[in-house]
Amino acid sequence: QSLPATAQPPVTTPNPCTDMQFLCHDGSGCIDVHKTCDYTSDCPDQSDEHECGPCDFEDDLCGYLDESKGKFKWDRNQGSTSWFGWTGPSVDHTLGTSLGWYVFVDGGNGNFLHNAILRSNYLPDTSAVCELHFWYHMKGSSVGTLYVYVDSHDGAQPAQMWSKTGNQGSQWQEGVVKL
């Protein structure tokens, strides 16, 4: 008799790129992170130019990465949040229905002084005057602070560009940051 064949575990290849490099999705190589989203395809599969524009979270996280530490984290959600609609939105901003998607942090899951971090891909200037427009919903008595930081990728600490603290009501609000 022979032994049954067993499936081999998948072989994982470590990312050969440094923190300041982007790995082309086809595995063809690493490019400098500053060459992503610069309107020039540097990867053969053009993956360095994907996920570089507007995001409404309807299909996915649009390349945003949850770099949270601790119990706070960013989640993609439809409809009301887990607190039965008491704190979060019941609809998203884009569609205005419970079928639309948004990202949120559940304030009941974290600890004081812990941060939830959502990082975008590196986005270069597109003109002399650039702005980041986004929508936020901060409802509830224990809502903390939402910050927007800009990382210049030059080794300096990210700069705080915007913040909002506490209950902002039950409506979506627009935030605008001049970059």
Side-chain angles (χ1 to χ4, degrees):
Q1 287 186 331
S2 63
L3 295 174
T6 59
Q8 295 293 322
V11 176
T12 57
T13 305
N15 185 341
C17 304
T18 68
D19 288 343
M20 294 304 294
Q21 292 180 316
F22 173 84
L23 176 62
C24 298
H25 292 180
D26 64 4
S28 62
C30 304
I31 64 167
D32 186 277
V33 71
H34 293 97
K35 290 187 175 185
T36 61
C37 299
D38 64 354
Y39 311 104
T40 302
S41 295
D42 297 295
C43 292
D45 64 356
Q46 301 177 354
S47 59
D48 59 311
E49 298 304 313
H50 296 181
E51 301 173 343
C52 296
C55 177
D56 58 16
F57 301 111
E58 294 303 321
D59 297 316
D60 56 25
L61 288 176
C62 311
Y64 282 85
L65 298 174
D66 181 7
E67 295 185 351
S68 305
K69 306 287 189 251
K71 292 184 179 180
F72 278 138
K73 65 181 181 119
W74 287 92
D75 288 312
R76 192 169 157 261
N77 194 54
Q78 271 180 308
S80 295
T81 60
S82 61
W83 286 88
F84 309 105
W86 296 338
T87 60
S90 57
V91 300
D92 79 321
H93 175 265
T94 306
L95 301 180
T97 72
S98 61
L99 299 176
W101 291 88
Y102 58 91
V103 293
F104 82 109
V105 175
D106 186 343
N109 285 340
N111 294 322
F112 184 68
L113 295 179
H114 283 187
N115 295 315
I117 300 169
L118 189 65
R119 184 179 297 274
S120 74
N121 286 320
Y122 173 75
L123 300 172
D125 293 342
T126 57
S127 71
V129 180
C130 292
E131 293 180 333
L132 169 67
H133 290 250
F134 59 97
W135 292 88
Y136 63 94
H137 190 285
M138 298 170 66
K139 175 185 172 188
S141 60
S142 62
V143 172
T145 302
L146 178 63
Y147 297 98
V148 174
Y149 286 87
V150 173
D151 188 347
S152 62
H153 290 281
D154 63 1
Q157 288 292 319
Q160 180 185 321
M161 303 298 288
W162 183 93
S163 70
K164 191 65 73 169
T165 300
N167 185 2
Q168 301 299 312
S170 61
Q171 301 298 318
W172 286 97
Q173 310 286 329
E174 185 176 20
V176 179
V177 177
K178 294 187 185 308
L179 303 174

